[in-house]
Amino acid sequence: FAYARKPAWSGICAGMALLSGASIWLGLLGLAIALGLSKLTGLTLEAGSPSETESSQPLAKPLRLGLSFALGTLLVVGSLFSLFPAGLGAWASSLTAFFAGWAQPAGTPTLKPVVALIVYSPLALIFAPVAVLQEWRRERPLVLLAGLWFLVALALTLIYPGRQVGDVAWAIVPLWALAARAISANLDKGST
């Protein structure tokens, strides 16, 4: 939603994500590192040409709107519509649990998430590299960012001491996005 410039929906989804548990922080860290590396390499993410009203609108107004919707979602959903006010601290406790995971190993073997990735997403592992190779020459920044995000998320999953097998989901999301891109592009070529 942020890429499509929909600040209200971005804020709602961000608020829901912050309430989803400690694994969100590993995903956000991976995405932030991937975005930072993309900026260093010169990849720019432009969401197409905005309309005249959007281009004249400063960044602060959509950002404030998104943050207000995120805060509203945290307050309403986090407190279960004011029925469970103690739930408001859930997002903060998930952050402390994430940091505790850096100090206390969970005991999950390093290669277990890799095996899970291979078992759960063999089709994506075949088609995602195809998408990256096809789009590399066209310099499609969103595809290249997804490839970078996959690599960063997988690396973070492997080095995070408190890793769980489910943390590999943060690598599967961009992997399947890439695979879907390759499958749809090749299906379009086959139908013409």
Side-chain angles (χ1 to χ4, degrees):
F1 287 120
Y3 184 72
R5 297 183 181 163
K6 306 245 184 251
W9 284 108
S10 298
I12 291 170
C13 290
M16 294 295 285
L18 289 174
L19 292 169
S20 66
S23 69
I24 187 66
W25 300 108
L26 190 64
L28 288 175
L29 179 62
L31 183 58
I33 291 171
L35 285 171
L37 288 174
S38 71
K39 294 264 189 212
L40 288 174
T41 59
L43 286 176
T44 58
L45 296 174
E46 293 298 323
S49 58
S51 66
E52 283 185 28
T53 58
E54 288 178 346
S55 62
S56 63
Q57 192 179 46
L59 181 64
K61 188 174 180 181
L63 187 61
R64 266 186 301 194
L65 181 63
L67 288 175
S68 64
F69 271 88
L71 182 62
T73 303
L74 279 172
L75 291 174
V76 171
V77 177
S79 67
L80 196 61
F81 300 96
S82 299
L83 297 174
F84 185 64
L88 289 174
W91 70 274
S93 64
S94 70
L95 184 60
T96 58
F98 170 69
F99 285 124
W102 286 102
Q104 301 169 347
T108 304
T110 305
L111 291 180
K112 202 169 186 179
V114 175
V115 171
L117 179 68
I118 293 168
V119 170
Y120 291 143
S121 302
L123 193 63
L125 286 169
I126 293 168
F127 284 103
V130 172
V132 172
L133 292 174
Q134 285 177 341
E135 302 296 337
W136 188 270
R137 291 184 185 166
R138 296 182 197 152
E139 294 184 5
R140 299 273 169 89
L142 198 57
V143 172
L144 298 176
L145 174 65
L148 185 61
W149 183 19
F150 164 73
L151 294 174
V152 169
L154 184 60
L156 277 175
T157 300
L158 297 178
I159 65 170
Y160 183 55
R163 82 181 74 71
Q164 299 294 324
V165 176
D167 291 338
V168 79
W170 291 110
I172 290 175
V173 169
L175 185 71
W176 269 111
L178 289 168
R181 174 83 176 166
I183 292 169
S184 71
N186 289 318
L187 284 177
D188 287 343
K189 286 180 187 175
S191 66
T192 56

